[in-house]
Amino acid sequence: MTRLLSIASLGVLVASTLTIANSLPKGDVDYCSVYNRASIPGCQPVPEGFLSSRGDALSTPETDPRVLEDAFSALSVLQNVYFEPVNGTWPTSIDWTGAVVETVIAGMLTTLTQSLDSTERGRNWKEKENLISSIFAQVTHSFFGQNAVAILDQAYDDVLWVVLGWLEAIKFVRLHSSLHYPGTEQTCLNVPGRLSDALSTISFHGYNWYCTFAERARAFWDFATRGWDTSLCHGGMVWNPRLLPYKNAVTNELWISASISMYEYFPNDEFDDAWTASQGFPTNDPLYLAAAIVGYKWLKDVNMTNSQGLYVDGYHVDMSKPNNVECDQRDEMVYTYNQGVILTGQRGLFTVTGSPSYLEDGHTLIQNVIRATGWGLGENGPIDNVNERPRGKLPPWRGIGRGGILEEQCDADGTCSQDSQTFKGIFFHHLTAFCAPISPVDIPGDANVNQTEFSKVQSAHDNACRGYLHWVKHNMDAALATRDKAGRFGMWWGASVFDALDASRQTDGINHTTPNATDYRNKGTPMDVIWGLNMTWHPGSKTPTGLCKNLLLRPDPKLRIGVSPELSVDSQIVLGRQNSHGDPNDRGQGRTVETQAGGLALIRAYWELSQS
């Protein structure tokens, strides 16, 4: 994994981490940090492993270079079918899902720049660079197609998806430059005055966009701080300022992951002390780190997980109680993305603090998810034999899937909104980030890293992530089988395994009447005393197209033959619903840009985990 922080800054980082950690309320005793100066008195020794010994010992699937080919095919279809090259948008997406699509593509660029030298040995570097730069140009173009002003008028989770998206693009720029143009890294635009110097030292052209991406990430993070609220529930992010206060898992997970990622990339940003104190954060810089640590402690303390260890959706405050400020009305709805976004935050918090407790929390969550899909890690297989189920019935629902396959509650009956169609891809994108190998680094003496303990954590983490490979492959194989003739992924990956059964809400085996479980991501928020009597929220809402599109002067279709008034995805490739009658993935929204991005994120996850 490419290091995001300079060696010189690590000693200062560790010292500031210890100061912030000691200024916060103490929870359970944590594991000792692998950075000795950041360890808290009374901490426990570093754990020997994050997975059972039996699971660690099981064999892992062999690396298959065709997996990268499948991932690139998914990327190719995603762009050829859904990307509009004039405006730089995925016009059939909604604003926040478009930000996620950009994030997934930027992640795939990271995979390509790390993998092509080993998988395409017969190709010269010019060909590889041209391919990577062409896709990066589309990501860059999407910056201008992004409906940025409108997103700032939406919920705070929408705002934070944008932050993570452009940080992912910055991550690629840094990595690509360090791998292929070492020693030439420059912040933003820097053109040497002499031609000979420019030819030998100019940085990768992606650095021309570094400040552009960074400023949007900063601006959107700054805007999102308005959602941090200490007047209710003793902290936490509010989801939507236009509804009654609701502090949900995803907005708080995004806040944690975005904040620690901002610190990893921009550790020297400074903030006004008076404003910092007014938000309830320690006044000693760095604020990003404090925001992530305080946010993570709040999320753990508020009790946002159910009996299976899965994150439920969030909390309202019971307004019927006079002067009540507590989060005491918990919504029990479970979505897959609520299990994924926090993984990036946990990995970042480990990188910065050296505390294995964050890694243990992440591995525990991943294993809870795997178990709740009906997969046994010890046996490396589904706990239910899908071949022995009664004819016409699905395997038992296990909490967040069945038959070992991750599933939304709307998958089997084909009622998922575009929002929900994005969720599983989000989970696997963040699983990939979490399971990136912990690389050994040459730490200077003043950082005082315990190399023995560091190596122990590194081994435990890598072994645990390898233990997930069979499960990820099981999901990947199922998802690949849902592709239609045009290579588009379906939403319900289990359809390919469960005989394409056309299930309904009455036959999908899920209790859709669970008390206090509101499926608002598919059906919208109800108008009631809990969610609000004056306004509702509906999934898939689109905002008016940004000014960029309206200002483009197009060829006049009255003068030219073969020019349509509006360039759209449908005018580029007309696909329709190509599969045979009875394909469950043709129901509802059908195959979309969101389901395609989900397939790409899943295949990339398997490829990356198989490389460690």
Side-chain angles (χ1 to χ4, degrees):
M1 182 182 72
T2 302
R3 298 183 62 208
L4 303 179
L5 300 169
S6 67
I7 293 292
S9 67
L10 187 53
V12 176
L13 179 155
V14 172
S16 64
T17 299
L18 179 59
T19 302
I20 291 174
N22 285 336
S23 69
L24 299 175
K26 297 297 186 295
D28 296 333
V29 177
D30 287 333
Y31 290 115
C32 299
S33 172
V34 296
Y35 308 148
N36 289 334
R37 288 170 58 187
S39 289
I40 299 173
C43 60
Q44 298 178 359
V46 169
E48 295 294 330
F50 298 119
L51 193 65
S52 67
S53 58
R54 181 181 178 186
D56 285 348
L58 289 173
S59 62
T60 56
E62 293 184 3
T63 300
D64 186 345
R66 291 175 298 181
V67 173
L68 186 63
E69 188 68 47
D70 284 332
F72 185 78
S73 174
L75 172 64
S76 174
V77 172
L78 178 61
Q79 293 304 87
N80 289 336
V81 175
Y82 297 106
F83 187 69
E84 186 180 277
V86 171
N87 295 304
T89 62
W90 298 272
T92 57
S93 71
I94 50 183
D95 291 335
W96 82 267
T97 67
V100 172
V101 171
E102 178 270 316
T103 308
V104 171
I105 294 174
M108 183 60 185
L109 281 170
T110 293
T111 292
L112 289 173
T113 194
Q114 294 179 122
S115 304
L116 288 182
D117 279 347
S118 61
T119 62
E120 302 295 329
R121 297 182 185 276
R123 300 285 185 178
N124 62 50
W125 174 243
K126 180 180 178 181
E127 294 173 314
K128 299 171 187 176
E129 175 64 30
N130 186 46
L131 171 62
I132 290 172
S133 292
S134 295
I135 298 168
F136 178 70
Q138 295 172 348
V139 170
T140 302
H141 194 183
S142 75
F143 178 91
F144 300 99
Q146 191 168 65
N147 209 0
V149 175
I151 292 173
L152 292 176
D153 196 38
Q154 298 171 25
Y156 291 118
D157 59 343
D158 300 284
V159 174
L160 289 165
W161 292 118
V162 173
V163 176
L164 287 183
W166 296 115
L167 290 178
E168 192 73 36
I170 289 173
K171 175 183 177 181
F172 160 72
V173 169
R174 284 186 165 190
L175 177 62
H176 188 71
S177 181
S178 66
L179 289 177
H180 307 294
Y181 305 92
T184 65
E185 296 86 349
Q186 297 286 345
T187 301
C188 308
L189 183 64
N190 190 315
V191 181
R194 291 170 54 88
L195 178 60
S196 59
D197 292 340
L199 289 170
S200 60
T201 66
I202 197 164
S203 59
F204 166 56
H205 69 83
Y207 269 99
N208 293 333
W209 300 103
Y210 186 97
C211 283
T212 306
F213 299 160
E215 286 305 283
R216 180 160 293 179
R218 286 187 173 105
F220 274 60
W221 188 88
D222 289 355
F223 188 90
T225 62
R226 304 178 188 185
W228 182 262
D229 165 58
T230 57
S231 65
L232 297 173
C233 311
H234 314 286
M237 287 287 292
V238 171
W239 167 50
N240 192 322
R242 281 160 290 283
L243 301 174
L244 288 181
Y246 183 53
K247 300 196 174 183
N248 62 357
V250 72
T251 309
N252 283 279
E253 292 179 12
L254 283 164
W255 171 251
I256 295 161
S257 294
S259 296
I260 195 61
S261 297
M262 291 292 287
Y263 181 64
E264 289 182 281
Y265 289 103
F266 314 120
N268 297 320
D269 285 5
E270 296 182 355
F271 293 85
D272 179 75
D273 282 350
W275 176 84
T276 300
S278 72
Q279 300 300 301
F281 297 123
T283 55
N284 48 305
D285 281 332
L287 175 61
Y288 295 136
L289 177 57
I293 292 176
V294 172
Y296 191 78
K297 186 179 187 306
W298 180 87
L299 184 64
K300 290 199 70 172
D301 289 349
V302 79
N303 184 27
M304 198 82 81
T305 54
N306 64 16
S307 60
Q308 291 183 285
L310 303 176
Y311 278 97
V312 298
D313 196 72
Y315 275 100
H316 282 99
V317 175
D318 188 349
M319 296 298 184
S320 67
K321 301 176 182 177
N323 303 316
N324 184 32
V325 297
E326 302 298 329
C327 275
D328 54 2
Q329 289 182 320
R330 195 171 88 165
D331 196 289
E332 302 294 329
M333 191 65 195
V334 174
Y335 297 110
T336 61
Y337 76 154
N338 283 339
Q339 323 310 320
V341 176
I342 191 60
L343 296 174
T344 288
Q346 290 163 330
R347 178 57 190 266
L349 283 164
F350 165 75
T351 299
V352 171
T353 68
S355 172
S357 299
Y358 294 113
L359 290 182
E360 183 176 66
D361 287 351
H363 283 293
T364 298
L365 176 59
I366 293 167
Q367 290 163 40
N368 289 341
V369 169
I370 292 173
R371 190 177 301 112
T373 66
W375 182 271
L377 278 170
E379 304 81 5
N380 262 340
I383 62 174
D384 301 301
N385 189 333
V386 299
N387 297 320
E388 293 182 355
R389 59 194 166 88
R391 184 176 179 83
K393 287 194 174 182
L394 293 169
W397 178 255
R398 295 298 180 182
I400 200 165
R402 68 185 95 221
I405 299 173
L406 191 66
E407 186 178 320
E408 298 296 340
Q409 293 187 26
C410 57
D411 276 1
D413 69 354
T415 60
C416 293
S417 67
Q418 279 187 266
D419 291 64
S420 291
Q421 286 190 322
T422 318
F423 291 172
K424 296 198 296 290
I426 290 170
F427 174 84
F428 280 104
H429 174 81
H430 291 279
L431 173 66
T432 303
F434 179 83
C435 273
I438 299 176
S439 302
V441 289
D442 184 17
I443 304 296
D446 62 348
N448 197 18
V449 173
N450 188 320
Q451 293 287 1
T452 300
E453 299 298 275
F454 186 90
S455 297
K456 187 186 297 184
V457 171
Q458 176 191 29
S459 177
H461 175 73
D462 291 349
N463 286 340
C465 287
R466 280 194 293 271
Y468 310 144
L469 260 176
H470 284 282
W471 176 74
V472 177
K473 185 178 187 299
H474 182 66
N475 279 264
M476 180 186 71
D477 290 342
L480 285 169
T482 69
R483 292 178 297 180
D484 65 6
K485 295 177 182 178
R488 300 178 302 172
F489 285 84
M491 173 64 185
W492 183 25
W493 299 338
S496 65
V497 179
F498 310 136
D499 305 324
L501 187 65
D502 191 0
S504 66
R505 286 176 67 86
Q506 289 70 42
T507 63
D508 64 8
I510 302 172
N511 181 8
H512 293 287
T513 60
T514 301
N516 304 319
T518 309
D519 188 11
Y520 69 104
R521 284 295 180 178
N522 291 301
K523 303 181 183 305
T525 58
M527 188 172 286
D528 59 23
V529 294
I530 295 177
W531 289 88
L533 296 171
N534 299 320
M535 184 175 290
T536 60
W537 176 90
H538 299 282
S541 302
K542 292 179 181 285
T543 53
T545 305
L547 295 177
C548 176
K549 181 173 182 178
N550 294 334
L551 290 175
L552 283 173
L553 182 63
R554 299 178 180 278
D556 191 340
K558 297 178 182 178
L559 305 180
R560 297 174 178 269
I561 298 174
V563 175
S564 62
E566 289 289 332
L567 180 64
S568 67
V569 168
D570 289 338
S571 70
Q572 297 172 56
I573 298 179
V574 180
L575 289 170
R577 303 191 176 195
Q578 297 186 351
N579 276 19
S580 60
H581 177 71
D583 180 357
N585 279 306
D586 274 348
R587 298 171 300 166
Q589 298 285 340
R591 291 169 170 83
T592 65
V593 62
E594 289 85 8
T595 62
Q596 191 66 26
L600 171 57
L602 170 58
I603 303 172
R604 176 178 174 248
Y606 179 73
W607 173 260
E608 289 290 350
L609 267 65
S610 69
Q611 301 304 296
S612 61

